[in-house]
């Protein structure tokens, strides 16, 4: 399965890229984040993030589908 | 009327306000967030805002809709800057018009509180000493269903 | 900075706001009272404000000083129109800047509530049917020490 | 004793004048208002008014002094 990733803030800086396409066997966002954290050395644990799938807030346990766009959302500070 | 915008350009305050005028409205409340010269004791030189735009806009519109329904206001809008800002610059503008002042104040306060908690927008502070840090108001959640404030250290 | 003004001319919003800018301020809250097209079910065509100017100004300055002290805000000002206004016109403008948003909102709300209760300013409504009435928000007292609302019928 | 009066709102309309100078034997604002109410037919009772003496809010029982400027303040509605 192939998914699109966009990175923001700390995740973008730590990954060194703003987006990427990955081939993965991760079934859920939780599994996908564990895989990417190991690869990029992300300092943030999944507990401090939210996840968005296809431009909507999603669930860590939802089933990923080929072609999904996934964003892991670091703690925010608008305003 | 509800409208949430992200912009890399300075905000046209007169135009924002004019869009909320309505003969049924007797009260208008606006809030502006300005870049302050210090945060938690550190001298700040400026900030940069980064946004996940499509989700920030849809969530911003949702917050404005919620405020309209909860408080019965006539009109509400908000605009948030992205990119580099310096001390004194306007980071966010919110305006609400309503028949009476109580609804206008409460809706305006609701919108800024929710914006700070829920929008996928990130703020990196630049300090006078050359250091920088990503600042977190909170994990994403509902501001009006309990607060949690965290200061996320810089990840460099 | 505190400053209360009465004016027979339209308010220069940009100048009012600019006077409250301060690098220590991270939050700015403004309130505007607009002439509404109806009040208590009657269609309004316009209003006239009459003020006892020297006392209105000194009491207005006192309210601004109280807000500064109570809420620790950086700057506050207000301006109130006198004379004839039509529907949609701005009747009163209040602005507050403060380090954080909570103080800005609370001080701004305090100021408008006290202005409505304490300033010797009177409002005569003109209705579409040709009738007029002096409208009383309250007897003079402290808004934040209990409300009493009365509608004073026209004395013609 | 001679005092200056300024009238606003309903009181101005009912008096038909914005100000006047009166010779009075009233010792206090309360006595003065009773006298003026009888003369001008004011509809508002003293209970619904505040009094200002020399541009400050005053007391209904304070002693009036020759030359004082007195304003009876009808119910207000700023903002």
């Amino acid at each position: 399965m192939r998914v699109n990733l966009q990175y923001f803030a700390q995740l973008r800086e730590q990954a060194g890229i703003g987006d990427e396409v990955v081939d993965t066997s991760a079934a859920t966002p939780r599994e996908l984040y564990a895989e990417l954290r190991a690869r990029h050395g992300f300092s943030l644990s999944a507990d401090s993030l939210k996840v968005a799938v296809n431009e909507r807030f999603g669930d860590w346990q939802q089933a990923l589908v080929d072609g999904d766009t996934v964003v892991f959302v670091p703690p925010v500070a608008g305003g | 009327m509800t409208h949430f915008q992200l912009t890399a350009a300075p905000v046209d305050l007169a135009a924002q306000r004019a869009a909320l005028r309505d003969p049924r409205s007797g009260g208008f409340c606006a809030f502006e967030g300005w870049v302050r010269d210090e945060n938690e004791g550190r001298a700040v030189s400026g900030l940069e805002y980064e946004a996940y735009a499509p989700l920030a806009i849809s969530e911003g519109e949702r917050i404005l809709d919620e405020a309209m329904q909860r408080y019965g206001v006539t009109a509400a809008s908000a605009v948030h800057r992205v990119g580099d800002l310096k001390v004194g610059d306007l980071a966010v503008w919110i305006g609400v018009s309503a028949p009476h002042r109580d609804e206008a104040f409460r809706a305006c306060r609701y919108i800024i509180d929710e914006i700070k908690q829920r929008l996928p927008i990130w703020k990196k502070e630049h300090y006078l000493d050359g250091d920088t840090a990503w600042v977190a108001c909170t994990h994403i959640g509902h501001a009006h269903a309990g607060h949690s404030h965290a200061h996320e250290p810089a990840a460099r």
Side-chain angles (χ1 to χ4, degrees), chain A, chain B:
Chain A
M1 181 174 64
R2 182 166 276 211
V3 297
N4 307 291
L5 286 146
Q6 292 180 51
Y7 295 119
F8 295 95
Q10 299 100 314
L11 297 183
R12 176 180 53 71
E13 291 182 341
Q14 292 173 3
I17 48 176
D19 55 80
E20 64 179 332
V21 179
V22 299
D23 288 304
T24 182
S25 58
T28 63
R30 187 167 296 281
E31 289 177 25
L32 179 61
Y33 186 71
E35 182 183 314
L36 295 167
R37 191 179 185 189
R39 184 186 314 165
H40 292 301
F42 293 143
S43 60
L44 292 165
S45 72
D47 293 346
S48 64
L49 305 175
K50 293 278 179 179
V51 63
V53 179
N54 300 331
E55 304 186 356
R56 294 175 177 227
F57 286 114
D59 190 279
W60 285 98
Q61 302 300 341
Q62 76 184 74
L64 290 176
V65 176
D66 188 61
D68 276 351
T69 294
V70 178
V71 174
F72 297 106
V73 177
V76 304
Chain B
M1 210 278 318
T2 75
H3 194 48
F4 182 86
Q5 288 175 273
L6 290 178
T7 176
V11 175
D12 181 341
L13 297 175
Q16 289 289 330
R17 172 185 178 276
L20 299 178
R21 293 185 66 172
D22 191 297
R24 296 167 298 170
S25 288
F28 169 78
C29 184
F31 177 79
E32 302 179 15
W34 296 345
V35 180
R36 214 152 50 100
D37 63 3
E38 70 93 30
N39 189 26
E40 301 191 0
R42 301 188 74 178
V44 169
S45 57
L47 318 164
E48 49 183 293
Y49 281 103
E50 181 173 338
Y52 176 30
L55 186 55
I57 291 167
S58 63
E59 193 72 4
E61 293 280 1
R62 186 169 296 120
I63 291 168
L64 293 172
D65 286 342
E66 288 167 7
M68 299 271 294
Q69 287 180 17
R70 278 184 185 228
Y71 301 105
V73 303
T74 315
S77 69
V79 53
H80 201 298
R81 289 289 304 271
V82 292
D84 295 327
L85 300 184
K86 60 186 192 309
V87 171
D89 283 350
L90 181 151
V92 60
W93 184 93
I94 292 151
V96 174
S97 81
H100 301 286
R101 71 187 183 283
D102 189 54
E103 302 97 88
F105 272 105
R106 293 174 69 196
C108 190
R109 182 66 194 263
Y110 177 83
I111 293 164
I112 182 61
D113 287 353
E114 296 293 317
I115 280 178
K116 283 179 176 272
Q117 303 273 332
R118 288 165 55 185
L119 295 203
I121 296 179
W122 300 275
K123 175 163 69 175
K124 189 176 195 175
E125 288 185 339
H126 293 247
Y127 303 105
L128 277 185
D129 62 14
D131 204 6
T132 63
W134 290 100
V135 177
C137 172
T138 184
H139 302 322
I140 282 186
H142 281 258
H144 284 253
H147 284 262
S148 76
H149 284 271
H151 194 280
E152 187 69 25
R156 289 184 303 276

